[in-house]
Amino acid sequence: MSPLLDVNDLRMTFRGGVRAVDGVSFSVRQGETLGLVGESGCGKSTTGRMIVRLLEPSGGQVTFDGRDITHVSRRRLLPLRGDLQMVFQDPFTSLNPRRTAAQIISGPRRLLDRDGTIALLERVGLGAEHADRYPHEFSGGQAQRIGIARALASRPKLVICDEPVSALDVSIQAQIVNLLRKLQEEEGLAYVFIAHDLSVVAHMCDRVAVMYLGRIVEIGDRKTVYADPAHPYTRALVSAVPLPDPDLEQDRERIVLLGDPPNPASPPAGCTFNPRCAKAQNICRQEAPVLRLVRGRQAACHFPD
Amino acid sequence: MATTPSTRSGRSPGRIAFDRLKRDPAALFGASIVAVFVAVALGAPLLTALSGWDVQTFDKSAIDRSLGGVPYGDLGGIGAEHWLGVEPGTGRDVFARIVYGARVSLLISVAATAVTVVAGTVIGLVAGYVGGRTDTILCRVMDLVMSFPSLIFMLALLSVAPDANRVLLLIAIMSMFSWPYVGRIVRGQALSLKHQEFVDAARVGGGRAAHILFKEMLPNITGPILVYTTLAIPANIGTEAALSFLGVGVRPPTPSWGQMLDDSLKWYQVVPSYFIVPSVCLFLTVLAFTLLGDALRDALDPRGTNA
Ligand SMILES: Nc1ncnc2c1ncn2[C@@H]1O[C@H](COP(=O)(O)OP(=O)(O)OP(=O)(O)O)[C@@H](O)[C@H]1O
Ligand SMILES: [Mg+2]
């Protein structure tokens, strides 16, 4: 079966030469969740926004449901709009302060009638009493539930979740993640779940892709990647995931990354991770590694662990 | 905000501003004078029927022809018969002329403001949202129009324009020079709004450009537009008065406050009341609209304390 979403060598170069996304490829099957993880500024949002065509890719292809949607016009994209939705990071700036919850959920194309709106509100854990309220009357968690309801109103097949919980209190985060999982089971949704660390996606994803400076450095099944990371960057991210057992948490070694990610406008030569890598050799400073199969997953490293 | 859910749910941000406005004395004062002004303008025929004198009737018995038309009595003939006196030289009723002048003043200033605001809003929204070359061109045009010394150009245009419909002509020429001021404000707001995620969300939801401009962005700019509108109306009342004063506004016999002021200058030593009445009307109206506009700006300020 062909995948629901196929992203091939996607690129985005912003004005000023910032290569925010520099040749990203992955695919997502129906009903599956792909975690897209990386530090701030590595190009996760840019990738997500290109998939839903909020940004025009500078290169590569996006194939959705067997159709190349990389450069289709707004009109031709319209029938697919409902299948391809997005949940945004900031629950407040993503809701129009001048529209009621019901108007927001029903969307520009007025997809739902009153009953449909209320039914959807209930499915995301809100109720009819919330329908006519304005965003400023909601808490962050409630606002994000409305953002999720809006994405679901058109019964999509794929939802890009761009850090949907990172603006929320930790106590609320789990509720929203659980809601997303419940909805996934009910609807058979596929997610691209963007996060800046591996802990949020740990219980959510089937597969995980780790991004660094506009490229995927490791991609594979969640279990494989978490249990035995191959790329030193992934190893550092995995070591930062808190363990449930406090004794284990005490004893384990945390890998702290040195320095900041380099400026994407002038990436270092060779492997872009080399200035921060403890194992960097000469070849790492000269030749960029490509993704290749390493113990059951793909990793881009000259000296995988 | 999130921690104190309001007891009355569904209170829109506009509603909150309105509730604040109701508690501002300056706003209430401004609003009541504006209400009187509007009522007078709309009810002009009724009021002149009550006073018994219409705009065009010459009351020869109220002026002293041997003195060149100076009204009989003190204060320019103010009394039970002519509530605000009579026009020196002709004997026309000043109350009727003020009341009908309010009508002309309101019509021209509101219509010119409406044209200005609608044109400026649409152009500003398009410039800000579309961006790129469209934005550059529209901004240049706005700069160009704003760089004209508008009063002189209005005078020139009005002097050479054919005399077909003076009121329409005034509305067109006054709005021609003022739309870029709204356009600038709206463009700036649109520019910052279009990067908000709710606009992206509307695009992902399949919203057309018209939906995004008028349903998503415009409702978030109504505050500044409303403030501009309430401040533009008094400015336009002033401009209309100035143009009529300078003799290029509405033509007699249509009454106008500016025209009355112009006329009164010939008489101000003998009949000061004829000068004072239209001045006070003009002053009060402009003051009232300005107070209201300022109060509105404060009420709409999200940083306001008394929510
Ligand atoms: N519209 C834009 N114009 C120019 N540069 C941009 C634009 N949007 C993003 N960038 C740059 O592209 C790079 C990637 O940005 P992106 O928002 O995709 O990162 P991210 O991984 O989502 O980070 P975060 O975790 O902070 O959301 C950054 O260096 C950013 O400064
Ligand atoms: Mg982001």
Side-chain angles (χ1 to χ4, degrees):
Chain A
M1 201 182 81
S2 67
L4 181 62
L5 173 75
D6 190 62
V7 172
N8 185 22
D9 197 30
L10 201 59
R11 288 165 194 275
M12 184 72 215
T13 309
F14 285 114
R15 249 179 300 173
V18 178
R19 284 199 250 161
V21 175
D22 195 13
V24 160
S25 307
F26 58 82
S27 57
V28 181
R29 285 186 294 271
Q30 201 155 356
E32 178 188 51
T33 303
L34 173 78
L36 192 57
V37 178
E39 278 167 302
S40 182
C42 70
K44 310 178 296 286
S45 296
T46 305
T47 305
R49 295 164 70 84
M50 283 192 283
I51 295 170
V52 297
R53 284 293 305 282
L54 281 172
L55 283 173
E56 194 74 28
S58 352
Q61 284 105 44
V62 180
T63 312
F64 181 74
D65 224 0
R67 267 173 286 187
D68 184 345
I69 59 163
T70 324
H71 298 291
V72 297
S73 65
R74 196 197 83 94
R75 193 188 301 268
R76 302 258 314 276
L77 189 64
L78 211 51
L80 284 178
R81 270 294 183 211
D83 292 340
L84 187 54
Q85 281 295 309
M86 183 150 181
V87 174
F88 294 87
Q89 174 168 5
D90 186 324
F92 286 107
T93 61
S94 67
L95 304 184
N96 190 335
R98 301 284 165 150
R99 287 168 78 80
T100 63
Q103 289 173 323
I104 290 170
I105 291 172
S106 190
R109 294 200 280 161
R110 302 216 187 93
L111 296 166
L112 303 172
D113 59 12
R114 184 82 188 169
D115 292 341
T117 306
I118 289 169
L120 189 49
L121 274 171
E122 281 164 357
R123 286 187 56 209
V124 298
L126 298 170
E129 71 275 17
H130 296 107
D132 298 314
R133 294 198 188 164
Y134 289 88
H136 70 99
E137 297 173 278
F138 292 105
S139 68
Q142 288 175 322
Q144 196 56 296
R145 285 171 195 268
I146 290 168
I148 291 169
R150 163 176 60 196
L152 290 189
S154 58
R155 318 213 60 188
K157 296 179 181 164
L158 174 72
V159 179
I160 311 287
C161 302
D162 188 358
E163 304 201 35
V165 298
S166 56
L168 304 175
D169 288 350
V170 179
S171 56
I172 312 288
Q173 290 189 352
Q175 291 175 13
I176 298 294
V177 169
N178 288 338
L179 172 67
L180 287 168
R181 291 173 68 172
K182 182 195 89 167
L183 294 166
Q184 178 167 43
E185 269 165 35
E186 291 170 1
E187 303 264 325
L189 287 172
Y191 289 135
V192 171
F193 195 103
I194 297 174
H196 58 255
D197 63 43
L198 280 167
S199 57
V200 176
V201 295
H203 309 289
M204 180 88 203
C205 300
D206 305 297
R207 287 188 308 134
V208 57
V210 178
M211 270 185 88
Y212 188 77
L213 218 63
R215 293 186 191 169
I216 291 180
V217 296
E218 182 158 0
I219 178 168
D221 284 340
R222 184 196 77 214
K223 289 202 185 85
T224 317
V225 171
Y226 275 69
D228 177 24
H231 195 283
Y233 180 61
T234 316
R235 262 171 61 86
L237 291 182
V238 169
S239 82
V241 177
L243 296 175
D245 182 337
D247 290 337
L248 285 176
E249 174 73 29
Q250 275 276 305
D251 298 341
R252 74 117 161 237
E253 165 204 17
R254 282 187 88 142
I255 304 167
V256 179
L257 283 172
L258 312 161
D260 291 322
N263 178 359
S266 55
C271 172
T272 51
F273 187 60
N274 85 67
R276 301 169 78 187
C277 183
K279 302 195 298 181
Q281 308 287 316
N282 267 337
I283 184 171
C284 302
R285 288 182 270 274
Q286 285 151 10
E287 205 175 300
V290 290
L291 278 174
R292 60 194 168 94
L293 200 62
V294 180
R295 297 194 309 281
R297 102 293 315 269
Q298 309 247 7
C301 180
H302 292 299
F303 305 101
D305 293 301
Chain B
M1 118 190 125
T3 47
T4 54
S6 85
T7 43
R8 269 180 298 163
S9 71
R11 213 163 71 119
S12 72
R15 176 87 213 166
I16 292 171
F18 183 69
D19 288 344
R20 273 191 212 166
L21 209 56
K22 280 197 303 196
R23 277 181 272 129
D24 181 344
L28 291 178
F29 176 75
S32 16
I33 294 185
V34 167
V36 169
F37 170 69
V38 172
V40 162
L42 296 180
L46 209 70
L47 288 168
T48 49
L50 267 175
S51 77
W53 290 96
D54 74 22
V55 228
Q56 304 303 357
T57 310
F58 299 80
D59 183 2
K60 299 273 157 44
S61 65
I63 50 173
D64 187 346
R65 316 242 342 237
S66 61
L67 281 176
V70 174
Y72 288 116
D74 300 327
L75 297 170
I78 293 181
E81 188 61 30
H82 294 286
W83 297 350
L84 292 177
V86 293
E87 198 176 51
T90 61
R92 288 186 294 190
D93 185 56
V94 171
F95 177 74
R97 297 194 70 76
I98 284 286
V99 161
Y100 272 91
R103 213 167 216 224
V104 172
S105 197
L106 183 73
L107 172 70
I108 292 179
S109 61
V110 167
T113 306
V115 174
T116 302
V117 167
V118 170
T121 300
V122 173
I123 293 171
L125 277 174
V126 169
Y129 181 67
V130 176
R133 189 172 303 173
T134 313
D135 184 37
T136 314
I137 293 172
L138 289 174
C139 280
R140 287 288 138 77
V141 174
M142 290 195 264
D143 288 339
L144 189 75
V145 175
M146 287 199 285
S147 66
F148 282 111
S150 56
L151 190 62
I152 294 184
F153 273 80
M154 284 195 259
L155 276 172
L157 281 174
L158 284 164
S159 315
V160 299
D163 232 7
N165 187 333
R166 227 42 212 177
V167 171
L168 272 186
L169 193 66
L170 274 165
I171 292 169
I173 286 178
M174 281 163 68
S175 23
M176 198 167 97
F177 287 100
S178 51
W179 68 267
Y181 295 92
V182 194
R184 279 268 167 207
I185 299 172
V186 172
R187 174 188 172 268
Q189 300 272 333
L191 222 49
S192 66
L193 276 177
K194 82 163 169 186
H195 294 297
Q196 301 246 355
E197 284 185 333
F198 68 78
V199 172
D200 291 335
R203 287 170 63 200
V204 174
R208 324 170 155 274
H211 170 92
I212 291 172
L213 290 183
F214 299 113
K215 294 278 177 64
E216 302 283 343
M217 289 172 43
L218 182 59
N220 286 285
I221 318 180
T222 47
I225 293 176
L226 214 59
V227 171
Y228 178 88
T229 305
T230 38
L231 293 173
I233 291 176
N236 280 337
I237 292 176
T239 307
E240 185 275 325
L243 292 171
S244 297
F245 179 86
L246 294 168
V248 295
V250 293
R251 291 272 189 258
T254 315
S256 145
W257 294 353
Q259 221 182 70
M260 291 173 81
L261 276 173
D262 179 28
D263 198 33
S264 75
L265 289 188
K266 290 180 282 195
W267 299 91
Y268 80 99
Q269 277 180 322
V270 250
V271 197
S273 73
Y274 184 45
F275 170 76
I276 291 168
V277 169
S279 313
V280 168
C281 289
L282 200 56
F283 168 73
L284 275 182
T285 313
V286 171
L287 175 74
F289 271 106
T290 310
L291 282 177
L292 193 60
D294 281 343
L296 200 61
R297 176 167 43 206
D298 293 344
L300 290 168
D301 187 347
R303 283 158 302 184
T305 45
N306 51 343

